[in-house]
Amino acid sequence: MDPVIIVGAGPVGLTLALALARQEVPCVVLDEGPGKDEPRAARTVVLREDTAALVERLTGVPLSRAGAHWAGWRSMRRKQVMREIVFDGADPAPLHIAQHVLTGALRAALSGERLVKVAVESRLDGIEQESSGVTAHTRGPKGTWWRGSYLVGCDGPRSTVRKLLDIRFPGRTAVERHAVAALRTELPWHDEALLHRMPPWRMSGPSAGEVTARPLPDGVWRLDWLLPPGKDLVTPELLLTRIRETLAGWAGGTTPPYELLDTGVHTVHHRLARRWRADRVFLAGDAAHLLGVLGTHGLDEGLRDADNLAWKLAVAWHHGPHDALLDSYQTERRAVVAARLRAADQALPLLRGGGGLRSYVPGSSRGHDALLTDGHLGHGQLGAPGTYADSPLAPPRLEGETPVDTPPGAPVTDVRVTAEDGTFVRLRDRLGRGALLVVLIAPGTGVWERKHWVSAGIMPRLAAAVSALPHPAELLVAERYPGAAAHTVLLVRPDGHLVAALSGVRPDDLFAAAEAAVGGPAKTQAEAGASAGSH
């Protein structure tokens, strides 16, 4: 079968290629550039725990060595500290990393991947598709054509794939603008990110009264100044003045020494593609959506797109057409991103509306701070990973369902599990391999060798039920899971979202849940041909 064609070699496209390769699906990545990224210290990304773990699992690189996990978070208004958070195991810190370092780690992992070919200096020029596959035409020094089973446009905000498919991309332009600087200096706090609203010192030039400082490795900081609405020019002189004023304000009046590394202007747009699938062609990342206001970061959602789509494409590639499964990509991911955009659009008037009576309402500033903190730290509607509660892949009501702390459709909690070979691993480490995961909660098993409990109690019956499932599945055992009673059985998708929690071994319920999770039985080739063109 032909490889999957991925258009775009940014973080989302490279992540998708690695995720497919880990599931034995060959790919071709069309990179319109030279195959490397320009180092830009001021172009950074913030990854939440789940997306950082996804990249680490795919690359094998501990990203904490290449980026910075914040020790804490502090928000201030004028001279008052509004909130201080210390990150720990219960509340993991976001990861702040330069984007070229992130893509470098992904490229390095791909360089030794036998199933992935990266075609540099290959700019997409045309797409042709029919029921059996898709053809991509490229132009440039190495212009040619490529034949694929599916094609995924990960080619950014100005996506050629989206334009060739004539898919509308409505939304709002320049929702926010930020002046950005990366510099090496010492600040009064160490390794803590700071959001400072209405700082008490005077700012030169246009200012909306908000500055953010985020640490990077080696004493480097990224500073972002929110700019007022409009198109005021941010000159180098004005930015240098802003840097000196801000550093002096934080240092108590005297500007500390600093080394300026990079500058820029970051403009936030809000857009959402009308469709994310057209037959054998899909959109992901910035080609499908743009968001990033109030501290949220679009790359997180782009990486979640790749994680969601990869296992579904792998199922269709290995086991035949699964239109219901492939359709669920748009249904699940577009709904999550749309909800986040709505939440941001509802919060913006409260936070950026200026004076008025709300400025004097007691507690309003703390409410604003809570909204901003949610966005920056990945909490609440503005920042938390989305759930697929209304997914078309959700099983029908099951007789044996039992509640746990993770609702159906939400990402599972990462716990220690025992693998089939008897080794202890993290649940998250078993994701992304194409198989469903069946997790038995069995307190006390961790102190025994596997050979003593694998053939005891309910294990033989559960192992037989797992082997009879309509899709490959791996059986794991955990001593505990939040909110789960002993002998609870969890069914988990390859991207880490909970399908169902069952009380005990219930083969019929487990089979029904597994079949629903992969979109029902695969179509025959004749059925697939009859339904072609329906998207």
Side-chain angles (χ1 to χ4, degrees):
M1 192 170 178
D2 293 319
V4 173
I5 300 172
I6 298 171
V7 182
V12 175
L14 298 175
T15 297
L16 178 60
L18 274 174
L20 286 169
R22 297 293 185 266
Q23 295 171 72
E24 296 297 317
V25 177
C27 308
V28 173
V29 180
L30 303 184
D31 183 357
E32 68 176 51
K36 58 183 179 180
D37 301 277
E38 177 190 3
R40 289 291 308 276
R43 191 176 187 188
T44 65
V45 295
V46 177
L47 302 181
R48 316 306 180 203
E49 182 198 16
D50 62 319
T51 50
L54 167 65
V55 176
E56 288 187 339
R57 185 174 74 242
L58 292 173
T59 62
V61 175
L63 294 182
S64 56
R65 298 177 185 174
H69 280 291
W70 305 335
W73 165 267
R74 177 182 307 192
S75 60
M76 298 179 64
R77 186 174 183 270
R78 300 188 189 277
K79 296 182 179 181
Q80 180 183 4
V81 175
M82 305 293 291
R83 180 175 300 191
E84 288 186 275
I85 296 174
V86 176
F87 296 114
D88 54 26
D91 187 13
L95 175 73
H96 190 203
I97 187 170
Q99 183 164 315
H100 71 271
V101 174
L102 176 64
T103 54
L106 291 164
R107 287 185 186 276
L110 281 172
S111 65
E113 181 52 66
R114 62 181 176 82
L115 292 176
V116 179
K117 175 178 177 59
V118 179
V120 300
E121 297 178 340
S122 298
R123 182 177 180 83
L124 183 70
D125 193 41
I127 298 174
E128 299 171 5
Q129 60 173 321
E130 60 278 338
S131 61
S132 60
V134 58
T135 302
H137 299 269
T138 60
R139 56 186 170 89
K142 299 182 179 181
T144 183
W145 61 272
W146 302 87
R147 182 67 177 172
S149 54
Y150 298 94
L151 183 146
V152 186
C154 304
D155 48 342
R158 297 180 177 85
S159 170
T160 301
V161 174
R162 190 184 63 242
K163 293 173 182 175
L164 289 172
L165 296 175
D166 196 25
I167 294 176
R168 292 186 59 203
F169 198 38
R172 296 198 293 151
T173 299
V175 180
E176 284 187 353
R177 288 196 313 145
H178 298 259
V180 181
L183 48 90
R184 183 176 284 108
T185 190
E186 289 189 15
L187 296 183
W189 55 91
H190 298 285
D191 301 327
E192 290 185 2
L194 170 73
L195 171 66
H196 199 160
R197 304 183 72 208
M198 302 177 68
W201 57 87
R202 179 185 176 277
M203 287 280 197
S204 300
S207 172
E210 183 176 302
V211 58
T212 306
R214 303 181 181 97
L216 286 160
D218 303 321
V220 176
W221 294 80
R222 169 171 166 166
L223 273 57
D224 290 60
W225 293 267
L226 178 64
L227 298 171
K231 299 181 179 179
D232 299 282
L233 183 64
V234 182
T235 65
E237 294 77 12
L238 178 62
L239 188 52
L240 287 171
T241 301
R242 185 71 57 84
I243 291 170
R244 289 193 291 266
E245 290 171 346
T246 301
L247 295 182
W250 285 333
T254 303
T255 302
Y258 69 90
E259 177 188 1
L260 183 60
L261 304 174
D262 192 18
T263 63
V265 174
H266 174 55
T267 304
V268 176
H269 309 287
H270 276 180
R271 295 190 178 276
L272 186 64
R274 293 288 192 196
R275 292 181 295 143
W276 292 23
R277 181 188 183 192
D279 298 321
R280 290 179 172 269
V281 180
F282 300 81
L283 299 177
D286 286 351
H289 51 77
L290 294 175
L291 70 164
V293 77
L294 306 180
T296 61
H297 289 265
L299 180 57
D300 257 334
E301 295 300 350
L303 295 178
R304 291 177 186 133
D305 293 345
D307 198 23
N308 183 291
L309 182 58
W311 75 271
K312 296 173 181 179
L313 284 175
V315 170
W317 199 91
H318 286 295
H319 304 290
H322 276 68
D323 272 341
L325 181 63
L326 295 178
D327 280 343
S328 73
Y329 164 67
Q330 171 179 302
T331 306
E332 292 178 344
R333 292 299 308 146
R334 193 177 187 279
V336 165
V337 175
R340 181 156 294 170
L341 284 170
R342 283 194 301 271
D345 285 341
Q346 290 167 2
L348 264 177
L350 297 174
L351 295 165
R352 310 300 193 212
L357 288 175
R358 70 169 61 94
S359 300
Y360 303 97
V361 175
S364 64
S365 61
R366 292 194 178 276
H368 296 175
D369 176 77
L371 284 172
L372 285 164
T373 298
D374 280 352
H376 280 276
L377 300 186
H379 301 153
Q381 286 185 309
L382 289 176
T387 65
Y388 306 139
D390 299 322
S391 169
L393 305 182
R397 177 66 184 173
L398 303 170
E399 182 181 346
E401 281 186 285
T402 186
V404 296
D405 286 359
T406 303
V412 293
T413 300
D414 188 29
V415 296
R416 192 179 79 156
V417 296
T418 305
E420 292 182 353
D421 63 359
T423 58
F424 291 118
V425 295
R426 304 300 300 181
L427 176 58
R428 189 174 275 156
D429 292 339
R430 312 307 286 187
L431 300 175
R433 301 180 177 209
L436 297 169
L437 302 181
V438 178
V439 185
L440 171 67
I441 312 305
T445 52
V447 300
W448 301 97
E449 289 187 33
R450 179 177 180 274
K451 64 183 181 181
H452 293 305
W453 50 259
V454 71
S455 60
I458 64 174
M459 278 296 292
R461 186 164 175 247
L462 179 58
V466 170
S467 65
L469 291 179
H471 185 78
E474 180 181 10
L475 177 57
L476 305 167
V477 178
E479 286 210 67
R480 60 186 63 85
Y481 187 87
H487 296 171
T488 297
V489 174
L490 309 178
L491 180 64
V492 183
R493 296 178 4 167
D495 59 354
H497 288 254
L498 181 66
V499 179
L502 304 173
S503 57
V505 180
R506 297 175 176 266
D508 291 345
D509 281 353
L510 192 61
F511 188 95
E515 188 170 61
V518 294
K523 291 184 179 180
T524 65
Q525 290 298 327
E527 290 173 328
S531 65
S534 62
H535 298 281

